[in-house]
């Protein structure tokens, strides 16, 4: 695990004992810190290792602590813990900030930080893959993979590739990324922020923490990303433009400093306009880290894709089945609809909005929509004016119905544009149920 001697003389409170909280407790205890922990789930408290103190941090005196480490899921805008900590003069931080504190004791390394509303998981995984395929010691963490503190420290020359949500950035004060990437900003999580301006300001803080001369990459010309880029002298990318690092993608061809790198058609797991953007971000980042064109090209061509994000599950009878369960809002679903010309679309769940505006331009690609979950009635009404709609209820039934209707050359696409919490634990479970239903078709 990653830890630091600097923690040894301190007393930390840890609020929330899911996977990230457990990694924090283990790291702090390994360093010799005093740890007091709490989770409202008694079973998680009972599983704490020996030597960890237990106290209800909802009511405890917080002034005794050097810091309070909380899960990114704790809504700092409404949870009383945040106000109580501020009144006690105690900083509230997350595991990413603890990692930043530990950096001075790690072998020399670099950090790539990726944030944005959509595309950050694929961009993170792609950068990690390109580096690892080129033989660079690399790991990924943050909002993807294992918690960063539970991973082994990299050797000298390693690169930590971190996907960072706005919630994680809110709990971080000193992470200086060598390369920081903003993919885009569209409405999301507005229950946690003072409107879009507050949400965008949270994303911008990733760049506030960078040292002078570090690389900043802005991957969209949406209004909020463009304003952040302009304020920092950066260039938001519209395809056909050239990044400061000399990378561009024009008509499906990627260039570095004007020389052809390769074609998107040769990157089988990176179909669609959204993945073109993700690829350009990864090319620019790895180029900034010193990789040459040959290594980057090889990484793009061998990238296996990200589970639950445009994941090719199977091809049965000429029909391709694609799991895009990670698309939890309409803006994230729209690029998947753009990627294929003939789609049987499984959509619905716990909706975040009452509209599908981002998806409307691509409905001519949709042969039929199979609506599921809590959003079933609302989305059936919204889509009924544009495409045939089947009220399927569940992922399993939608998969069966779509498979019965799809013709060779068409795609059955799970891209729900909704959260999963109406029927599933998380989007991973939803995607796994879809994959199991597909496997049943071919059994």
């Amino acid at each position: 695990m990653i830890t630091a001697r600097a923690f040894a003389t301190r007393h930390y409170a840890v609020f929330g004992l899911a996977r990230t909280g457990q990694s924090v407790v283990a790291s702090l205890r390994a360093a010799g810190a005093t740890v007091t922990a709490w989770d409202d789930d008694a079973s998680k408290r009972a599983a704490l290792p020996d030597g960890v103190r237990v106290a209800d941090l909802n009511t405890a005196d917080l002034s005794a602590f050097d810091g309070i480490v909380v899960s990114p899921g704790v809504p700092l805008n409404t949870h009383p813990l945040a106000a109580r900590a501020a009144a006690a003069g105690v900083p509230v931080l997350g595991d990413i900030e603890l990692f930043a504190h530990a950096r001075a004791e790690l072998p020399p390394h670099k950090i790539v930080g990726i944030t944005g509303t959509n595309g950050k998981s694929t961009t993170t995984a792609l950068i990690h893959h390109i580096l690892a395929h080129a033989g660079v010691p690399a790991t990924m963490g943050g909002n993807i993979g294992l918690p960063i503190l539970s991973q082994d420290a990299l050797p000298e020359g390693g690169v930590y590739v971190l996907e960072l949500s706005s919630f994680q950035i809110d709990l971080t004060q000193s992470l200086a990324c060598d390369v920081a990437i903003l993919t885009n900003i569209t409405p999301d999580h507005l229950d946690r922020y003072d409107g879009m301006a507050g949400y965008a300001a949270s994303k911008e803080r990733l760049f506030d923490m960078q040292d002078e001369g570090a690389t900043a990459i802005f991957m969209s010309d949406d209004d909020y990303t463009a304003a952040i880029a302009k304020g920092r002298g950066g260039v938001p990318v519209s395809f056909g433009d050239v990044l400061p690092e000399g990378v561009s993608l024009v008509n499906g061809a990627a260039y570095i400093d004007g020389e052809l790198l390769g074609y998107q058609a040769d990157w089988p797991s990176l179909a669609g306009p959204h993945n073109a953007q993700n690829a350009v971000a990864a090319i620019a980042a790895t180029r900034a880290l010193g990789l040459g064109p040959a290594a980057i090209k090889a990484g793009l061509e061998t990238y296996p894709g990200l589970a639950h994000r445009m994941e090719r599950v199977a091809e049965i009878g000429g029909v391709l089945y694609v799991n895009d369960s990670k698309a939890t809002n309409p803006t994230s679903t729209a690029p998947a609809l753009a990627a294929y010309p003939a789609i049987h679309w499984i959509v619905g769940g716990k909706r975040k909005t009452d509209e599908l505006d981002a998806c409307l331009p691509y409905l001519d690609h949709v042969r039929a929509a199979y609506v599921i979950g809590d959003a079933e009635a609302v989305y059936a009404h919204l889509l009924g004016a544009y495409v045939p709609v089947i009220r399927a209820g569940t992922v399993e039934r939608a998969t069966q119905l779509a498979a019965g209707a799809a013709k060779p050359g068409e795609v059955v696409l799970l891209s729900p544009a909704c959260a999963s919490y109406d029927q599933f634990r998380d989007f991973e479970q939803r995607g796994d149920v879809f994959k199991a239903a597909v496997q049943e078709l071919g059994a």
Side-chain angles (χ1 to χ4, degrees):
M1 70 182 69
I2 293 173
T3 189
R5 293 186 299 274
F7 302 152
T9 60
R10 298 175 183 170
H11 187 180
Y12 289 96
V14 179
F15 187 84
L17 296 171
R19 188 171 62 167
T20 297
Q22 293 171 21
S23 75
V24 168
V25 169
S27 173
L28 293 175
R29 288 294 296 150
T34 302
V35 178
T36 298
W38 180 259
D39 192 290
D40 292 338
D41 185 337
S43 65
K44 292 179 179 176
R45 300 197 303 269
L48 283 166
D50 293 342
V52 177
R53 303 177 184 180
V54 178
D56 186 349
L57 298 174
N58 294 295
T59 57
D61 179 7
L62 303 181
S63 62
F65 303 116
D66 294 296
I68 302 172
V69 187
V70 304
S71 160
V74 176
L76 295 182
N77 59 327
T78 59
H79 199 286
L81 182 70
R84 292 178 57 241
V90 180
V92 176
L93 60 154
D95 68 313
I96 301 298
E97 180 62 13
L98 287 178
F99 170 70
H101 292 176
R103 290 187 67 188
E105 298 181 33
L106 298 176
H109 61 274
K110 292 185 178 180
I111 292 180
V112 181
I114 303 98
T115 194
T117 306
N118 297 307
K120 56 185 179 292
S121 294
T122 296
T123 302
T124 301
L126 180 56
I127 291 170
H128 173 260
H129 174 79
I130 293 171
L131 291 167
H133 193 268
V136 177
T139 192
M140 62 180 178
N143 203 42
I144 191 172
L146 294 173
I148 191 61
L149 294 179
S150 67
Q151 300 192 38
D152 292 334
L154 294 172
E156 182 173 351
V159 180
Y160 296 89
V161 188
L162 304 179
E163 177 189 336
L164 299 170
S165 70
S166 58
F167 302 163
Q168 288 169 313
I169 296 171
D170 291 341
L171 294 168
T172 306
Q173 293 79 43
S174 62
L175 182 74
C177 294
D178 299 277
V179 179
I181 300 170
L182 177 57
T183 58
N184 49 63
I185 298 178
T186 59
D188 204 7
H189 303 304
L190 297 185
D191 57 329
R192 291 277 292 260
Y193 296 99
D194 183 15
M196 281 296 294
Y199 177 53
S202 175
K203 300 289 190 186
E204 186 173 10
R205 287 193 58 255
L206 183 64
F207 301 89
D208 292 339
M209 292 184 281
Q210 284 188 287
D211 294 331
E212 186 175 353
T215 299
I217 299 170
F218 304 96
M219 283 307 306
S220 176
D221 59 356
D222 66 77
D223 291 346
Y224 296 97
T225 301
I228 293 170
K230 182 178 179 181
R232 296 174 178 277
V235 180
V237 175
S238 294
F239 290 115
D241 291 345
V242 179
L243 285 166
E245 292 77 15
V247 180
S248 61
L249 185 70
V250 182
N251 296 326
Y255 298 86
I256 295 180
D257 298 328
E259 294 188 15
L260 180 65
L261 174 67
Y263 296 91
Q264 188 180 6
D266 296 325
W267 312 331
S269 295
L270 292 167
H274 62 308
N275 276 325
Q277 184 186 73
N278 297 334
V280 170
I283 295 166
T286 51
R287 185 68 169 161
L289 292 169
L291 263 63
I296 297 172
K297 181 175 185 290
L300 291 166
E301 292 175 349
T302 58
Y303 174 63
L306 189 66
H308 308 293
R309 194 67 174 110
M310 296 287 285
E311 179 186 11
R312 297 166 67 96
V313 176
E315 186 171 331
I316 302 172
V319 176
L320 177 64
Y321 293 82
V322 176
N323 169 27
D324 195 39
S325 183
K326 199 174 189 301
T328 59
N329 60 63
T331 304
S332 186
T333 286
L337 297 179
Y340 303 104
I343 298 169
H344 293 261
W345 178 25
I346 302 173
V347 56
K350 185 174 179 61
R351 68 187 187 278
K352 294 182 177 180
T353 70
D354 289 334
E355 49 79 19
L356 289 166
D357 292 356
C359 300
L360 297 183
Y362 309 107
L363 292 186
D364 59 335
H365 293 186
V366 176
R367 296 293 179 263
Y370 304 77
V371 292
I372 62 173
D374 283 356
E376 181 177 331
V378 173
Y379 281 8
H381 176 72
L382 283 176
L383 293 170
Y386 302 97
V387 299
V389 172
I390 297 90
R391 295 181 64 157
T394 67
V395 167
E396 295 95 329
R397 186 163 185 266
T399 304
Q400 293 169 354
L401 292 170
K407 300 175 182 178
E410 296 182 339
V411 174
V412 174
L413 171 69
L414 171 69
S415 190
C418 288
S420 58
Y421 305 126
D422 57 335
Q423 296 179 322
F424 303 98
R425 178 182 64 251
D426 49 34
F427 73 83
E428 289 99 336
Q429 185 186 33
R430 177 171 61 189
D432 289 341
V433 167
F434 173 70
K435 290 192 285 186
V438 172
Q439 295 306 317
E440 284 291 320
L441 297 173

